[in-house]
Amino acid sequence: MAIAPGVRRIALIRAPGADVHSPTEILADQLGLRPVSPGDLFRRHVQHRTPHGLDALQHMNSGRLVPDELIVDVLAETLSDAKSGWVLAGFPRRVEQAELLAGRGHPPEMAVELTITPDEVDVSHWAAVTGRPPDERRAQLAASIADYRETAEPLRAHYRRRGILRSTSAYGRPDEVADRIHTLLAG
């Protein structure tokens, strides 16, 4: 399947409960792009006790969020090394992050939102681990998804204005989701 000419930088944004990592890996492999997960990057930086990792750890140990500037610094280094292009998993989450990323020379050429409903999320593992009823997790997800719809609208509008926002369901096997994304990129 062909990809739209020139699209080599893809950001996958997601609703709570939507798996973004598996489709990122599959899509990156299909397209010869580098999969990039901010969470994985920071775990490696913390584990290897790099200056960025120690800075992030200081924020986390103090109960603070890692500042957007630090996240984007780490991402910019990695994205700069991805000469063939990249698929960014679950980032940005807010317009400010998108603007910082673009300011560092790494705006996505396509942003794909992965949507899902609480009923579509497989909560069986959560229920087994916690011993709590699946309906409790679905209720939590419903609240999180409703909040996401409101808080993510500025980011969607940001990418919509640039003409690069696409949307597809995150429901199904990761390879099915990756195929739907691939179809969006080709069309």
Side-chain angles (χ1 to χ4, degrees):
M1 186 179 300
I3 187 169
V7 176
R8 308 305 292 166
R9 297 184 318 252
I10 304 160
L12 300 183
I13 55 179
R14 70 175 182 91
D19 174 16
V20 71
H21 296 286
S22 300
T24 294
E25 294 286 333
I26 294 167
L27 189 65
D29 184 57
Q30 290 174 342
L31 301 174
L33 305 175
R34 182 172 180 177
V36 179
S37 163
D40 290 347
L41 285 175
F42 271 97
R43 280 186 282 283
R44 280 195 296 274
H45 276 275
V46 168
Q47 179 183 8
H48 295 290
R49 306 194 63 78
T50 68
H52 287 314
L54 293 173
D55 193 6
L57 193 57
Q58 185 177 29
H59 288 282
M60 292 184 287
N61 287 341
S62 297
R64 298 184 313 258
L65 294 174
V66 175
D68 290 343
E69 292 80 7
L70 179 57
I71 295 169
V72 171
D73 283 348
V74 170
L75 284 172
E77 289 175 7
T78 301
L79 299 177
S80 291
D81 290 339
K83 302 299 183 207
S84 65
W86 41 263
V87 180
L88 185 53
F91 192 89
R93 293 183 179 156
R94 296 185 325 278
V95 172
E96 297 80 10
Q97 294 172 332
E99 290 172 344
L100 282 170
L101 197 59
R104 293 293 305 273
H106 302 288
E109 296 164 328
M110 184 77 63
V112 179
E113 181 181 28
L114 301 177
T115 63
I116 198 157
T117 67
D119 291 335
E120 293 173 332
V121 177
D122 180 4
V123 296
S124 58
H125 178 72
W126 178 88
V129 169
T130 64
R132 297 169 125 165
D135 288 342
E136 182 179 327
R137 179 64 178 147
R138 283 196 185 88
Q140 290 173 342
L141 282 169
S144 294
I145 290 171
D147 182 56
Y148 165 81
R149 285 187 185 128
E150 182 178 318
T151 59
E153 180 51 35
L155 179 63
R156 288 192 299 270
H158 173 80
Y159 285 135
R160 202 177 296 119
R161 281 191 302 274
R162 284 155 182 74
I164 65 168
L165 180 67
R166 305 294 182 271
S167 182
T168 192
S169 172
Y171 181 68
R173 294 187 326 265
D175 61 313
E176 294 171 335
V177 175
D179 286 346
R180 285 195 294 272
I181 297 167
H182 205 152
T183 299
L184 288 174
L185 296 169

